[in-house]
């Protein structure tokens, strides 16, 4: 068949004439295959409307199976039926038109006004829906036709496809499809425009079917079961029903059967045509298969997530892709992905054999299907040969220039890696393959944040690029290291998480000293040229070898500090000063920053690539913050930044692995005196104050806050007081939990968790709330039968004074479950809502483009913004919202240390 | 203007709207290589357009304060 080019798409209704014109065969028998096993002439699977049997030829176009695209047939309906999809519109048109002359019952003036308005909207390519709605509303108002003076009756619409006319006397008369069609036929062309329809493409009467198009068999192929039995498509089953009823209708009518029987059959025909179009009409029993399964008819094929649009057109399944669970590997680079060998042997890249790669490809082919091997070869003549255990050696001999080889992916191949939901562009990035044993994809944990991935069973997809253009484009635009800076907020989104931060924090805190062997143990996975200046020497006892007498001798050995070890992975010229996460907001509190002398080591100074003071924490190397990563990226670009993050991974993990780090239930313990203090000073104190507030309220002494009722005031004050109770217990608990406590260490360094989490575990869980208020629902006047009615005290309304470690009382436990449920429901609702919103936003914005003149335009060239973002700055390329950070440039030029 | 009412143009949240002269409008279209229809639109019934008495086919320049750039300019074509 000749390839054709689509010039345009016209939307409209098919007229009976058109249906007949495009039909290749009038279908009259419900049978499909004859006893000889061949399709029956004029049957539902006849050879004029397409072939699905190998060996047969199409009687319309002469094509074989696969060549013939199929052709429509038609069924002549013995009685017209309503098209369900338009039933509602038909009702509105019937209501808007005269029952006798079929003109739209609108005054000449209104008519003109509406017609003009519609014409104008169409010229502007705007929606005519609103005007049309008005037309129907206005036309339904008149009770008498202004053209033929016929009084108008009310028309009742009975779902799905019945219309009943009610006259002034209240007498009901059913409008049969023939009546409906007659009325619609009489509507003059000029009036059709008023419904927003174009009579050229969609006459109203075409919504009442007299001929039914029969889709080509290629659209409803039958399948042959293992038993050799044929099983027809659901659509074919439905068409069989329609033809049967159609025939019975004709026979009964010709035999002069009573009106009642005719009408019943007519109704049945309508039912079958309805369910043929849509088998999920509300109020209509769905047509079922013999097995009881509802049939999947036209509408069901198109609708919904798995339908033709969302399932087959917008969401196609693709070749050259793989999906499996992800797991962490801090030893691979951030731009790598560990691929299981099993997967690597299934995914291929097509290589054109040239004189330059002939030898390499031959070597590859000689390995057959063993890992970096070949699955298929295509010879110069275009024949594709599967590589097997028995033919690979011969093929390797025969291999020549011009062949195409489908080789396995191997280390260094570029692939796309993706995790759903793909909410931003960083959800798909380019990684380099690293084939590994095991069955999971391996991913460096530093790259989890952009994917929003964790390792609790998350799966990810991998796509192998098939052309040089795609590979080049992926390399330039999508490599992980080129996306370290987020286009959303202009700061690194890739960086240390969890143990990376803990590890580096432990290493750089204080002045830890390591002798050479230890230093090498920590650094052995990192590519460093020399250890540099050592920090000093310390005395260490050494058993004397010479004497052999076992007396000890003291020797001086060199040491390096943790800060020096960290400095080894910093670029040599890096200068940077900033305050880390440990800073207690000294400046805001008016104390002034002590800088280098900060007792918390919160002031970080890096000079010429040496960490002079300060402890490295989340603010320095973490994702989303990562000041050091940010600085390195901007100063040295992506490759150096990548190497730095790789080295941080290895350094941190190697160090924490050697020192050990754990958090257990006993780390939530507080000494007895601490617990006492919390109970007395924080909880009791607050409960006392709450009781005072309640007494003041009951005594009428409580002063209302502006804009609140007395009750609201009381609630507000109680909430405040109880919030205090938790904060105070947290502060007391903190006194007993030093930074040596692993929980505190993780919270303070930003590795995981917060001080609030620790407070709740060790000291006091605090007030539970529903919609920001204390818990008040339950029984009349009380939350639980454990309390007296109208008890306003703290524990009767969800204050949990226990800590998680101590355990909650039954009532506390219940209140906590209430609060927890709200949080759960909220997140569930929020994600679905924001997901839908995101879909719509992306749909609306996907075609916008920044043009070379700096404007943002849509497809028709209509300007959306005259200057992208008002300032033409890409946040991931500029410096904190500016094109350049001019102060920084000057500081650099005159040699002053950067940003403090 | 009726007594007791104030001009919306003086409200701090209403950005400055100015009608471009023929020459300016032509220069704008030339600068961005635009057809008039490719400009963003504003309805004649828009309160500000009524206030400055712009006609259908006029191009207005809107000067806004911008968080990213300090000041930003945009242009709109007045439509029916
Ligand atoms: Mg997960
Ligand atoms: Zn054909
Ligand atoms: Zn009439
Ligand atoms: Zn500080």
């Amino acid at each position: 068949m000749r390839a054709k080019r689509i010039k345009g798409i016209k939307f409209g209704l098919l007229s009976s004439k058109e249906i007949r014109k495009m039909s290749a065969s009038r279908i009259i028998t419900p049978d499909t295959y004859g006893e000889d096993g061949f399709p029956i002439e004029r049957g539902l699977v006849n050879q004029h409307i397409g072939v699905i049997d190998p060996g047969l030829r199409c009687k319309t176009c002469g094509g074989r199976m696969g060549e013939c695209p199929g052709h429509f047939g038609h069924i002549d309906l013995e009685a017209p039926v309503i098209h369900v999809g338009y039933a509602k519109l038909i009702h509105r048109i019937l209501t808007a038109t005269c029952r006798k002359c079929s003109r739209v019952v609108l005054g000449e003036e209104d008519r003109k006004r509406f017609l003009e308005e519609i014409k104008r909207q169409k010229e502007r390519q705007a929606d005519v829906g609103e005007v049309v709605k008005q037309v129907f509303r206005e036309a339904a108002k008149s009770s008498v036709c202004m053209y033929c003076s016929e009084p108008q009756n009310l028309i009742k619409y009975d779902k799905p496809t019945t219309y009943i006319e009610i006259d002034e006397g209240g007498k009901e008369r059913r409008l049969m499809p023939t009546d409906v069609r007659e009325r619609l036929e009489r509507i003059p062309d000029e009036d059709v425009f008023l419904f927003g329809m174009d009579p050229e493409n969609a006459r109203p009467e075409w919504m009442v079917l007299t001929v039914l198009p029969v889709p080509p068999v290629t659209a409803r192929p039958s399948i042959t079961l293992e038993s050799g039995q044929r099983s027809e498509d659901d659509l074919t089953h439905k068409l069989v029903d329609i033809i049967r009823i159609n025939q019975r209708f004709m026979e009964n009518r010709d035999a002069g059967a009573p009106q009642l029987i005719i009408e019943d059959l007519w109704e049945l025909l309508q039912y079958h045509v309805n369910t043929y179009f849509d088998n999920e009409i509300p109020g209509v029993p769905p047509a079922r298969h013999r097995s009881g399964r509802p049939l999947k008819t036209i509408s069901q094929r198109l609708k919904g997530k798995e339908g033709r649009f969302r399932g087959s057109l917008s969401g196609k399944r693709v070749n050259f892709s793989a999906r499996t669970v992800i797991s962490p590997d801090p030893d691979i680079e951030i731009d790598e992905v560990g691929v299981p060998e099993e997967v690597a042997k299934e995914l291929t890249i097509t290589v054109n054999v040239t004189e330059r790669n002939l030898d390499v490809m031959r070597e590859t082919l000689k390995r057959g299907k063993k890992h970096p091997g070949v699955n298929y070869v295509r010879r110069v003549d275009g024949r594709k040969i599967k590589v097997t255990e028995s033919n690979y050696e011969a093929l390797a001999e025969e291999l020549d220039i011009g062949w195409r080889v489908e080789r396995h992916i191997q280390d260094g191949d570029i692939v796309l890696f993706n995790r759903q939901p793909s909410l931003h562009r960083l959800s798909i990035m380019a990684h380099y393959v690293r084939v590994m044993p095991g069955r999971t994809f391996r991913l460096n944990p530093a790259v989890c944040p952009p994917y929003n991935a964790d390792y609790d069973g998350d799966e990810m997809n991998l796509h192998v690029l098939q052309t040089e253009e795609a590979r080049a484009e992926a390399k330039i635009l999508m490599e992980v290291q080129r996306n370290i800076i987020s286009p959303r907020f202009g700061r690194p989104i890739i960086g240390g998480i969890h143990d990376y931060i803990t590890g580096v924090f432990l290493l750089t805190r204080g002045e830890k000293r390591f002798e050479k062997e230890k230093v090498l143990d920590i650094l052995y996975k990192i590519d460093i040229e020399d250890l540099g200046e050592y920090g000093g020497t310390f005395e260490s006892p050494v058993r004397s070898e010479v004497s052999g007498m076992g007396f000890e001798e003291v020797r001086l050995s060199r040491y390096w500090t943790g800060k020096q070890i960290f400095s080894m992975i910093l670029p040599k010229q890096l200068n940077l000063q900033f305050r880390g996460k440990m800073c207690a907001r000294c400046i805001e509190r008016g104390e002034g920053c002590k800088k280098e002398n900060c007792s918390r080591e919160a002031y970080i100074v890096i000079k010429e690539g040496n960490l002079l003071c300060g402890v490295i924490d989340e603010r320095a190397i973490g994702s989303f913050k990562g000041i050091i990563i940010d600085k390195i990226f901007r100063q040295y670009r992506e490759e150096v930044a990548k190497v730095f993050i790789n080295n941080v991974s290895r350094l941190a993990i190697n160090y924490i692995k050697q020192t050990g780090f754990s958090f257990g239930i006993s780390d939530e313990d507080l000494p007895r005196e601490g617990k006492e203090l919390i109970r007395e000073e924080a909880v009791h104190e607050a409960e006392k104050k709450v009781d005072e507030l309640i007494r003041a309220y009951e005594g009428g002494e409580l002063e209302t806050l502006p804009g609140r009722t007395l009750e609201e005031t009381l609630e507000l004050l109680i909430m405040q007081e109880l919030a205090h109770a938790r904060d105070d217990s947290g502060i007391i608990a903190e006194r007993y939990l030093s930074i040596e406590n692993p929980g505190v260490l993780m919270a303070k360094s930003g590795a995981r968790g917060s001080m609030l989490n620790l407070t709740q575990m060790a000291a006091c869980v605090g007030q539970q709330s529903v919609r920001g208020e204390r818990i008040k629902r339950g029984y009349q006047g009380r939350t639980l039968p454990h309390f007296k009615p109208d008890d306003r005290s703290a524990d009767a309304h969800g204050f949990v004074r226990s800590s998680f470690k101590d355990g909650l009382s039954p009532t506390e436990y219940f209140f906590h479950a209430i609060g927890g449920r709200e949080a759960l429901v909220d997140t569930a609702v929020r994600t679905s809502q924001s997901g839908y919103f995101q879909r719509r936003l992306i749909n609306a914005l996907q075609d916008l483009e920044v043009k070379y003149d700096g404007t943002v335009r849509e497809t028709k060239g209509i300007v959306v913004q005259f200057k992208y973002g008002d300032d033409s700055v890409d946040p991931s390329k500029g410096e904190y919202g500016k094109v350049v950070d001019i102060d920084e440039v000057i500081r650099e030029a005159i040699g002053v240390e950067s940003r403090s | 203007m009726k007594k007791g009412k104030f001009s919306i143009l003086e409200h701090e949240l209403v950005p400055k709207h100015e009608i471009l002269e023929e020459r300016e409008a032509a220069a704008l279209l030339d600068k961005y290589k635009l057809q008039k229809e490719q400009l963003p639109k504003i309805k004649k019934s828009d309160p500000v357009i009524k206030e400055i008495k712009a006609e259908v086919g006029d191009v207005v320049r809107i000067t806004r304060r911008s968080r990213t750039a300090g000041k930003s300019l945009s242009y709109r074509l007045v439509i029916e």
Side-chain angles (χ1 to χ4, degrees):
Chain A
M1 220 184 60
R2 224 172 66 239
K4 287 175 184 172
R5 190 173 289 275
I6 295 172
K7 199 171 152 201
I9 299 173
K10 189 175 85 177
F11 290 98
L13 299 170
L14 287 174
S15 66
S16 321
K17 211 171 126 196
E18 223 165 334
I19 295 170
R20 287 207 178 86
K21 212 171 86 190
M22 70 179 194
S23 165
S25 167
R26 182 178 162 218
I27 315 288
I28 50 170
T29 79
D31 305 311
T32 51
Y33 289 91
E35 268 163 26
D36 54 357
F38 281 96
I40 290 177
E41 277 287 303
R42 301 215 159 260
L44 269 171
V45 195
N46 81 52
Q47 286 180 64
H48 294 271
I49 59 176
V51 278
I52 49 165
D53 303 89
L56 295 186
R57 270 182 188 280
C58 171
K59 289 191 177 164
T60 302
C61 71
R64 282 176 208 280
M65 183 180 111
E67 295 166 350
C68 163
H71 317 276
F72 273 89
H74 77 277
I75 298 169
D76 275 316
L77 296 174
E78 292 301 324
V81 289
I82 307 288
H83 188 310
V84 255
Y86 299 101
K88 222 174 175 173
L89 180 59
I90 292 174
H91 176 243
R92 275 192 290 185
I93 292 178
L94 287 177
T95 314
T97 50
C98 170
R99 61 189 304 264
K100 189 170 163 207
C101 72
S102 281
R103 307 256 339 238
V104 175
V105 262
L106 278 177
E108 198 54 56
E109 218 164 86
D110 279 342
R111 216 180 82 98
K112 252 206 187 125
R113 186 166 56 86
F114 283 129
L115 278 174
E116 256 165 44
E117 181 66 26
I118 286 171
K119 202 172 146 202
R120 209 169 38 229
Q121 292 285 75
K122 274 193 178 153
E123 272 164 13
R124 220 187 282 157
Q125 302 198 318
D127 188 27
V128 295
E130 276 308 309
V131 191
V132 172
K133 245 189 215 162
Q134 268 183 42
V135 169
F136 284 127
R137 209 179 308 137
E138 285 302 315
K141 281 178 185 166
S142 325
S143 54
V144 175
C145 174
M146 44 281 278
Y147 301 98
C148 69
S149 314
E150 172 81 12
Q152 299 299 306
N153 291 339
L154 194 73
I155 293 171
K156 205 170 83 186
Y157 169 45
D158 212 357
K159 275 177 185 170
T161 41
T162 316
Y163 306 100
I164 294 158
E165 194 171 40
I166 307 169
D167 61 20
E168 314 90 87
K171 243 183 71 188
E172 297 194 351
R173 191 181 78 89
R174 172 147 183 222
L175 290 177
M176 298 310 284
T178 32
D179 307 321
V180 174
R181 189 169 164 109
E182 264 166 39
R183 286 194 187 185
L184 298 178
E185 273 169 351
R186 277 200 302 266
I187 302 171
D189 273 359
E190 312 88 77
D191 282 13
V192 172
F193 285 106
L194 286 167
F195 310 136
M197 296 163 73
D198 173 6
E200 285 279 301
N201 294 321
R203 280 283 318 174
E205 68 268 23
W206 298 347
M207 298 187 288
V208 181
L209 303 162
T210 55
V211 185
L212 192 70
V214 174
V217 282
T218 41
R220 45 183 176 87
S222 60
I223 43 169
T224 316
L225 298 175
E226 279 156 59
S227 56
Q229 220 183 359
R230 265 184 193 279
S231 172
E232 292 297 334
D233 189 273
D234 284 3
L235 275 191
T236 309
H237 280 301
K238 208 59 236 179
L239 286 164
V240 168
D241 291 341
I242 292 172
I243 295 172
R244 286 224 176 98
I245 298 301
N246 201 38
Q247 261 176 354
R248 257 173 65 197
F249 183 91
M250 180 189 67
E251 287 159 14
N252 276 277
R253 190 192 47 200
D254 292 353
Q259 187 63 22
L260 214 63
I261 295 195
I262 298 284
E263 269 180 29
D264 272 359
L265 284 173
W266 200 346
E267 190 64 22
L268 202 55
L269 182 66
Q270 178 78 60
Y271 166 80
H272 284 303
V273 174
N274 284 352
T275 49
Y276 167 70
F277 284 122
D278 183 357
N279 204 16
E280 281 167 358
I281 313 167
V284 177
R288 287 175 193 278
H289 199 251
R290 262 185 309 234
S291 64
R293 163 183 70 83
L295 293 172
K296 227 177 154 191
T297 53
I298 294 178
S299 183
Q300 281 65 36
R301 278 195 181 190
L302 309 178
K303 257 187 209 161
K305 204 168 192 174
E306 255 118 68
R308 209 82 325 149
F309 294 103
R310 277 176 71 189
S312 318
L313 293 167
S314 337
K316 285 195 282 284
R317 301 196 160 243
V318 292
N319 289 330
F320 305 105
S321 67
R323 178 184 176 96
T324 182
V325 176
I326 53 164
S327 49
D329 189 340
D331 289 330
I332 64 170
E333 313 217 335
I334 56 168
D335 64 341
E336 287 185 312
V337 56
V339 180
E341 198 183 298
E342 261 177 281
V343 170
K345 277 156 76 174
E346 209 54 57
L347 297 174
T348 57
I349 285 176
T350 308
V351 180
N352 292 311
V353 179
T354 65
E355 79 186 73
R356 266 177 262 166
N357 65 15
L358 178 60
D359 290 340
V360 182
M361 289 328 295
R362 181 166 287 143
E363 283 310 306
T364 312
L365 189 47
K366 272 185 185 159
R367 281 189 293 266
K369 305 201 73 172
K370 279 197 229 87
H371 175 245
V374 176
N375 284 354
Y376 283 96
V377 289
R378 195 187 281 271
R379 295 200 309 208
V380 188
D381 61 17
R383 236 188 76 196
K384 197 167 168 179
I385 303 161
K386 191 178 169 108
V387 176
T388 60
E389 212 47 65
S390 55
N391 72 358
Y392 72 94
E393 275 163 325
L395 283 173
E397 280 310 308
E398 212 188 326
L399 187 70
D400 206 355
I401 293 160
W403 284 40
R404 282 141 78 84
V405 172
E406 295 186 8
R407 56 150 252 251
H408 296 157
I409 54 167
Q410 47 185 276
D411 289 5
D413 282 334
I414 192 168
V415 295
L416 300 187
F417 204 39
N418 162 235
R419 181 182 175 274
Q420 282 121 352
S422 313
L423 296 179
H424 58 184
R425 68 170 212 223
L426 305 182
S427 293
I428 306 177
M429 290 191 287
H431 289 247
Y432 292 92
V433 168
R434 185 137 158 194
V435 180
M436 294 183 151
R439 314 194 72 190
T440 57
F441 286 137
R442 251 52 61 79
L443 181 68
N444 190 310
V447 208
C448 283
Y451 291 117
N452 191 21
D454 47 36
Y455 303 107
D456 60 3
D458 290 25
E459 292 181 49
M460 284 182 73
N461 303 317
L462 182 142
H463 298 268
V464 181
L465 299 170
Q466 294 295 317
T467 64
E468 290 301 342
E469 291 90 331
R471 283 187 282 265
E473 204 169 331
K475 186 174 165 55
I476 291 166
L477 299 172
M478 304 172 76
E479 268 185 347
V480 171
Q481 58 266 40
R482 290 179 198 258
N483 290 291
I484 291 172
I485 304 292
S486 163
R488 183 151 50 93
F489 49 82
R491 292 206 163 246
I493 189 168
I494 294 167
I497 52 170
H498 307 335
D499 282 1
Y500 289 7
I501 293 166
T502 313
V504 182
F505 187 86
L506 287 171
L507 179 68
T508 57
R509 189 162 57 111
E511 207 193 62
K512 290 208 175 65
R513 294 172 176 189
F514 303 93
E515 53 192 286
K516 194 170 179 184
E517 285 72 20
K518 200 85 180 125
V519 174
L520 293 177
D521 265 355
I522 295 169
L523 289 171
Y524 81 99
K525 282 181 178 172
I526 299 168
D527 183 21
I528 293 174
E529 272 157 36
D530 67 288
L531 296 181
E533 207 62 40
Y534 54 92
T537 52
F538 54 15
E539 298 175 346
S540 58
V542 179
R543 196 171 287 266
S544 171
E545 299 291 328
V546 191
S547 64
M549 300 287 286
F551 87 96
E552 296 195 343
E553 179 181 307
V554 172
R555 201 171 70 180
L556 288 181
S557 52
R558 293 172 175 181
Y559 70 79
W560 281 262
T561 64
K563 287 187 172 67
Q564 283 176 316
I565 295 175
F566 181 76
S567 301
M568 291 175 204
I569 64 169
L570 288 171
K572 284 291 154 280
Q573 304 307 318
L574 191 73
N575 290 305
L576 192 58
Q577 292 184 22
F578 61 95
R579 273 181 294 278
K581 194 169 184 290
M582 296 296 288
C583 179
R585 306 206 335 275
C586 320
I587 292 174
E588 284 97 322
R589 296 196 314 187
E591 286 170 18
C593 188
K594 292 206 217 74
K595 299 215 162 178
E596 283 88 344
N597 301 318
C598 179
S599 58
R600 300 160 169 274
E601 289 202 88
Y603 196 76
I604 293 112
V605 178
I606 295 170
K607 248 185 211 157
E608 314 240 292
N610 284 307
L611 175 63
L612 299 182
C613 74
V615 55
I616 301 300
D617 59 23
E618 189 194 14
R619 249 176 87 74
I621 58 144
S623 55
F624 297 107
K625 314 218 167 58
I627 289 174
I628 298 180
I629 298 170
D630 193 45
K631 173 78 179 174
I632 293 176
F633 188 92
R634 289 178 199 281
Q635 194 170 332
Y636 300 93
R637 306 314 303 173
E638 62 272 1
E639 287 306 323
V640 178
K642 172 187 124 181
V643 170
F644 177 70
I645 299 171
N646 285 335
N647 288 342
V648 167
S649 316
R650 290 170 198 169
L651 178 65
I653 296 302
N654 234 7
Y655 178 66
I656 200 171
K657 225 156 69 182
Q658 291 181 27
T659 66
F661 186 79
S662 68
F663 182 65
I665 191 89
S666 60
D667 289 314
E668 295 161 9
D669 280 335
L670 290 181
R672 179 168 303 217
E673 61 183 283
K675 293 199 145 173
E676 213 98 297
L677 221 54
I678 288 169
R679 203 166 58 228
E680 294 303 325
E681 286 188 5
V683 178
H684 270 184
E685 208 53 34
E687 282 175 337
K688 241 193 283 173
K689 283 194 185 142
V690 168
D691 287 339
E692 275 167 33
L693 283 169
I694 294 168
R695 248 177 286 133
Y697 165 79
E698 281 165 353
E701 292 151 36
L702 198 67
E703 253 179 67
T704 44
L705 291 170
R708 309 248 174 209
T709 65
L710 195 61
E711 260 97 294
E712 283 171 350
T713 306
L714 177 69
E715 280 300 307
L716 212 74
L717 293 175
I718 292 177
M719 288 277 283
Q720 268 171 19
E721 208 48 67
L722 293 174
H724 259 293
R726 191 185 61 191
D727 294 347
D728 290 348
S729 11
I731 291 165
I732 296 167
E734 236 180 299
R735 273 189 248 152
Y736 295 92
L737 299 171
S738 73
I739 187 92
E740 300 308 323
N741 177 294
V744 177
L745 190 136
M746 286 192 286
K748 292 264 155 107
S749 64
R752 191 76 220 246
S754 63
M755 284 313 290
L756 174 67
N757 294 150
L758 284 167
T759 301
Q760 291 193 320
M761 288 189 280
C764 168
V765 174
Q767 179 65 49
Q768 299 301 305
S769 68
V770 170
R771 295 190 196 148
E773 290 174 340
R774 296 205 294 163
I775 290 160
K776 54 184 183 191
R777 287 184 296 187
Y779 300 85
Q780 280 178 10
R782 51 181 167 174
T783 50
L784 283 173
H786 306 66
F787 305 105
K788 296 216 165 76
D790 299 320
D791 182 355
R792 289 176 190 272
S793 68
D795 46 337
H797 288 274
F799 181 69
V800 181
R801 54 193 341 217
S802 317
S803 67
F804 284 129
K805 173 71 203 293
D806 291 335
L808 276 54
S809 77
T811 52
E812 286 178 335
Y813 185 91
F814 185 69
F815 289 133
H816 183 250
I818 293 176
R821 171 65 64 87
E822 188 191 46
L824 224 58
V825 169
D826 270 12
T827 36
V829 170
R830 244 202 323 276
T831 44
S832 69
Q833 275 179 350
S834 64
Y836 181 52
F837 183 71
Q838 167 120 6
R839 246 179 81 96
R840 300 185 48 156
L841 198 63
I842 286 174
N843 263 332
L845 300 183
Q846 61 183 355
D847 294 321
L848 300 194
E849 196 179 327
V850 183
K851 301 284 180 183
Y852 286 109
D853 62 1
T855 58
V856 179
R857 305 194 192 193
E858 43 90 292
T859 42
K860 277 184 238 155
I862 294 177
V863 175
V864 176
Q865 278 183 346
F866 281 90
K867 213 172 189 188
Y868 168 69
D870 284 352
D871 58 1
S872 286
V873 175
D874 173 351
S876 68
K877 300 281 161 52
E879 305 261 343
Y880 315 111
K882 292 279 174 300
V883 180
V884 286
D885 186 346
I886 196 72
D887 296 333
E888 179 71 22
V889 173
I890 291 170
R891 256 177 297 185
E892 213 123 274
I894 60 176
V896 181
E897 272 98 45
S898 49
R899 192 151 41 100
S900 55
Chain B
M1 203 178 308
K2 258 195 240 158
K3 217 181 138 211
K5 280 198 174 175
F6 69 94
S7 165
I8 57 165
L9 299 178
E10 280 155 32
H11 194 283
E12 64 163 350
L13 294 177
V14 177
K16 189 162 119 200
H17 288 62
E18 306 159 275
I19 304 170
L20 290 193
E21 285 170 29
E22 201 100 324
R23 190 173 41 78
E24 288 177 297
L28 172 79
L29 297 181
D30 187 58
K31 179 180 172 193
Y32 291 108
K33 300 277 177 293
L34 285 170
Q35 302 296 313
K36 229 175 183 182
E37 286 299 310
Q38 292 176 312
L39 287 169
K41 318 281 186 297
I42 188 166
K43 274 198 177 170
K44 202 186 161 202
S45 57
D46 189 284
V48 177
I49 297 303
K50 279 199 259 177
E51 195 79 23
I52 63 172
K53 302 196 171 58
E55 292 299 325
V56 171
D58 281 349
V59 178
V60 291
R61 171 169 49 224
I62 304 166
T63 315
R64 295 194 181 87
R65 272 175 296 152
S66 160
R67 215 157 55 110
T68 49
K71 191 179 101 172
S72 82
L73 294 180
S74 83
Y75 303 86
R76 282 173 187 267
L77 176 69
V78 181
I79 56 162
E80 205 52 61

